[in-house]
């Protein structure tokens, strides 16, 4: 089967399964803010448009200044990227030929990029149903490892690791002279996030990657940033294409980051929808991951193979993300983004129908 490697672009999934595409689809396969972009972005869109005749600032000075004020880090510690994916690719290039440890199941781009750059890849697998980290076990695997990749909250489980565990792992990585690449693409979707960025001052081995495409619903624009020691930022920037972050993305970034109430409104909305969905899943015997983020894993506990459920959902215009390319999940779960309330209600309805026919 030719499974698509990422969510979004539902056509590929219908093609892979040779299913007719219903006229109306709800795409649950990408984890994007259901409230859409901040309204101010649309209001100022023509103003942004007028600036596309200029080349972008290759140093993204203004956006870095804004991030520097919000996150209390100096601009030389910041690198702006063409989405978090760009930064993952650049970090992996710096790690060319090195030993890396990836904590699975997680976002597939770490493995893909490390593989492309000739890294020797080692794995640590977390297990269902809680996918929690045991730092003692992990510590023993750090010997000889040059860089560790961790995603928090993790994609695809939505698990938010304990703050203490992350700090313990950070200290162990420093002792082992291992870089700690922490992907915080979804940090702003959880309601009780504790910031790790202040630790970049003391821990020169810490690299934090953030995406701005999820919270601000701008995956089509591409924008993310990295925070790390200035020397690491300087090295990684050396690999980046000149002008790789475009004018509209830089302008949108500044507008979006000043929208703190929008971010709070989003994480509250997500929290309420998640509670509604999880209450239904419990009642109807669907298993789900203990997610604190804007997506979760789900499966019908009565079935080992989720493919028939996936087909049922697709036929009804509900598009989840398959998990065949997440090592350790191997298709035994489906991932769903938390969408708008009426869209989540439609998912509940289609899952109810499935339950009625598969008691
Ligand atoms: C964990 C994680 N990190 C990074 C990214 C990349 O996001 P973007 O390149 O859109 O900023 C994604 C996208 O799905 C993701 O899930």
């Amino acid at each position: 089967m030719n499974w698509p490697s990422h969510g979004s672009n539902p056509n590929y999934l219908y093609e892979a399964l040779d299913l007719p595409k219903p006229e109306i689809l709800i795409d649950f396969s990408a984890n994007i803010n259901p409230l859409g972009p901040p309204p101010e972005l649309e209001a100022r869109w023509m103003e942004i448009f007028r600036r596309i005749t200029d080349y972008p600032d290759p140093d993204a000075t203004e956006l870095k200044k804004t991030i520097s004020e919000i996150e209390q880090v100096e601009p030389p510690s910041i690198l702006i990227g063409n989405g978090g994916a760009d930064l993952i690719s650049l970090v992996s290039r710096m790690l060319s030929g090195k030993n890396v440890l990836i904590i699975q199941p997680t976002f597939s781009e770490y493995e893909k990029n490390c593989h492309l750059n000739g890294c020797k890849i080692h794995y640590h697998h977390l297990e269902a149903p809680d996918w929690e980290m045991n730092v003692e076990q992990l510590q023993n695997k750090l010997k000889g490892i040059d860089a560790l990749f961790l995603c928090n909250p993790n994609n695809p489980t939505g698990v938010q690791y304990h703050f203490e565990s992350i700090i313990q792992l950070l200290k162990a990585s420093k002792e082992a002279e291992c870089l700690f690449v922490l992907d915080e693409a979804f940090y702003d979707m959880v309601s009780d996030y504790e910031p790790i960025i202040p630790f970049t001052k003391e821990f020169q081995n810490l690299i934090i990657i953030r995406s701005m495409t999820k919270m601000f619903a701008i995956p089509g624009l591409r924008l993310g940033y990295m925070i790390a020691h200035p020397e690491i930022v300087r090295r990684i920037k050396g690999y980046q294409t000149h002008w790789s972050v475009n004018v509209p993305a830089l302008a949108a970034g500044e507008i979006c980051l000043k929208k703190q109430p929008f971010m709070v409104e989003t994480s509250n909305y997500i929290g309420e929808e998640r509670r509604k969905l999880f209450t239904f899943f419990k009642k109807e015997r669907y298993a789900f991951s203990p997610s604190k983020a804007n997506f979760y894993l789900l499966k019908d506990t009565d079935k080992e193979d989720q493919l028939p459920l996936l087909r049922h959902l697709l036929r009804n215009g509900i598009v989840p993300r398959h998990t065949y390319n997440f090592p350790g999940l191997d298709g035994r779960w489906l991932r769903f983004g938390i969408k708008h309330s009426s869209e989540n209600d439609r998912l509940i309805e289609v899952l109810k129908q499935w339950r009625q026919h598969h008691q």
Side-chain angles (χ1 to χ4, degrees), residues 20-264:
K21 205 172 73 163
E23 219 157 85
I24 297 171
L25 294 182
I26 310 178
D27 185 5
F28 286 82
S29 71
N31 306 321
I32 301 302
N33 188 339
L35 303 181
E40 193 181 335
L41 188 55
E42 191 174 351
R44 293 180 57 187
W45 195 243
M46 279 316 287
E47 177 197 321
I48 293 173
F49 173 78
R50 280 192 283 277
R51 286 155 60 186
I52 64 170
T53 50
D54 296 330
Y55 274 91
D57 171 3
D59 286 324
T61 311
E62 287 306 313
L63 183 57
K64 281 203 286 196
K65 210 158 81 192
T66 305
I67 295 172
S68 149
E69 280 158 17
I70 296 173
E71 299 298 342
Q72 296 292 296
V73 285
E74 294 300 318
S77 291
I78 305 170
L79 180 64
I80 309 295
N82 192 284
D86 178 39
L87 296 163
I88 293 166
S89 150
L90 295 169
V91 168
S92 310
R93 188 146 170 218
M94 180 184 73
L95 297 174
S96 187
K98 303 272 190 201
N99 280 284
V100 301
L101 176 64
I102 299 179
I103 300 174
Q104 294 280 18
T106 197
F107 187 46
S108 60
E109 287 294 307
Y110 316 139
E111 181 173 14
K112 190 192 92 185
N113 283 281
C114 287
H115 182 70
L116 277 173
N117 285 292
C119 297
K120 184 158 183 345
I121 307 177
H122 306 256
Y123 301 96
H124 178 80
H125 291 274
L126 302 179
E127 305 292 339
D130 60 2
W131 290 281
E132 260 304 338
M133 268 199 303
N134 177 329
V135 181
E136 273 75 36
Q137 266 179 18
L138 254 167
Q139 255 166 303
N140 297 331
K141 293 193 172 174
L142 290 179
K143 203 163 171 280
I145 297 293
D146 300 297
L148 159 81
F149 281 85
L150 181 75
C151 182
N152 186 53
N154 188 34
N155 176 6
T157 58
V159 169
Q160 180 184 15
Y161 302 115
H162 296 293
F163 178 75
E164 295 73 24
S165 302
I166 295 179
I167 302 305
Q168 204 183 335
L169 191 57
L170 177 59
K171 288 181 181 160
S173 310
K174 188 178 177 186
E175 267 169 38
E177 294 180 11
C178 169
L179 286 173
F180 187 121
V181 185
L182 181 63
D183 184 346
E184 293 194 331
F186 297 99
Y187 85 98
D188 40 15
M189 296 288 187
V190 301
S191 53
D192 55 351
Y193 167 80
E194 285 189 68
I196 312 282
I197 284 183
F199 288 83
T200 52
K201 295 207 170 82
E202 185 187 339
F203 290 86
Q204 301 189 355
N205 62 324
L206 177 59
I207 300 177
I208 295 182
I209 293 176
R210 286 183 171 179
S211 165
M212 289 185 58
T213 71
K214 324 291 185 186
M215 169 55 76
F216 302 113
I218 51 168
L221 269 184
R222 321 298 308 125
L223 189 65
Y225 60 94
M226 190 184 98
I227 298 196
H229 187 267
E231 180 49 29
I232 294 181
V233 167
R234 198 189 56 76
R235 274 184 69 192
I236 294 180
K237 186 163 172 48
Y239 300 119
Q240 195 174 35
T241 308
H242 207 69
W243 304 303
S244 75
V245 187
N246 64 68
V247 168
L250 291 175
E254 279 196 64
I255 294 171
C256 291
L257 283 177
K258 289 175 182 152
K259 296 283 152 210
Q260 291 298 319
F262 175 82
M263 296 168 81
V264 175

